[in-house]
Amino acid sequence: GQELSLWNVAVNEYASAGDVDGQATANMMLGDWLVAPASSPELLGFDLDISGDPVQGSATDAEPYYATAAATFASTGNDRGLAALALRRAFLARCRGDGAAWAAGLTEAATLAQSCGGASLLQLAGVHAALAELEGSGHTDVDGLAGQVSTWALGPGSTSFARGLVRLVVAQAM
């Protein structure tokens, strides 16, 4: 469809410019579109503007694009890209119903985000981890998570990003 045509244009433009990280990002974005067509793995497939169940695409179709992006990010030393991919691959595990792999992927995403200074991704991974814990055991440290996110948002972070994280939690709760 039109999405693949636009993706081909983007990949070709990045290739012409010699921007391998741009190509990897394009692959990551196509994987996102394939697994969460109306949303993003960052939003666990939810459309935060519309209430309802998340729309899921195909985790199987997304994985090859994530693998290509991961290989490129690894070869260029792009830890921020690898952290973003770890979060997405954790979402694929969630789509497969593999709670242990979901949690492990989120730990990897948080570790990589911490090491490369990806503060907003670190917060997002923390919220995803809390939601994974809630799905798995029914319990999580809500007060600790809220304190961590609000301290970050009111300090070096972003209050608008924190509001988005709250909307994600509300969407999951509904």
Side-chain angles (χ1 to χ4, degrees):
Q2 184 177 0
E3 294 84 4
L4 288 178
S5 175
L6 292 172
W7 173 78
N8 278 320
V9 168
V11 168
N12 290 333
E13 289 295 318
Y14 286 127
S16 295
D19 184 351
V20 293
D21 280 341
Q23 289 175 290
T25 300
N27 278 308
M28 184 171 64
M29 298 300 287
L30 181 58
D32 288 356
W33 178 77
L34 289 168
V35 72
S39 179
S40 165
E42 292 178 351
L43 301 177
L44 300 174
F46 287 103
D47 179 343
L48 298 184
D49 294 325
I50 300 171
S51 62
D53 293 329
V55 176
Q56 239 180 271
S58 170
T60 304
D61 290 345
E63 178 53 37
Y65 295 97
Y66 288 163
T68 299
T72 302
F73 287 143
S75 73
T76 62
N78 186 333
D79 287 343
R80 201 172 291 255
L82 290 171
L85 277 168
L87 185 86
R88 285 158 170 80
R89 285 179 149 168
F91 178 70
L92 296 183
R94 179 183 191 247
C95 293
R96 291 189 309 268
D98 187 343
W102 184 22
L106 293 172
T107 298
E108 178 185 2
T111 300
L112 287 166
Q114 178 78 36
S115 72
C116 71
S120 58
L121 181 57
L122 180 61
Q123 299 305 314
L124 180 60
V127 168
H128 279 218
L131 294 174
E133 190 174 29
L134 275 172
E135 268 189 33
S137 70
H139 304 287
T140 193
D141 180 8
V142 175
D143 292 336
L145 177 65
Q148 174 187 324
V149 171
S150 64
T151 298
W152 170 79
L154 295 172
S158 163
T159 56
S160 61
F161 190 85
R163 282 192 297 275
L165 294 175
V166 169
R167 290 178 69 200
L168 175 59
V169 171
V170 169
Q172 176 71 24
M174 298 183 88

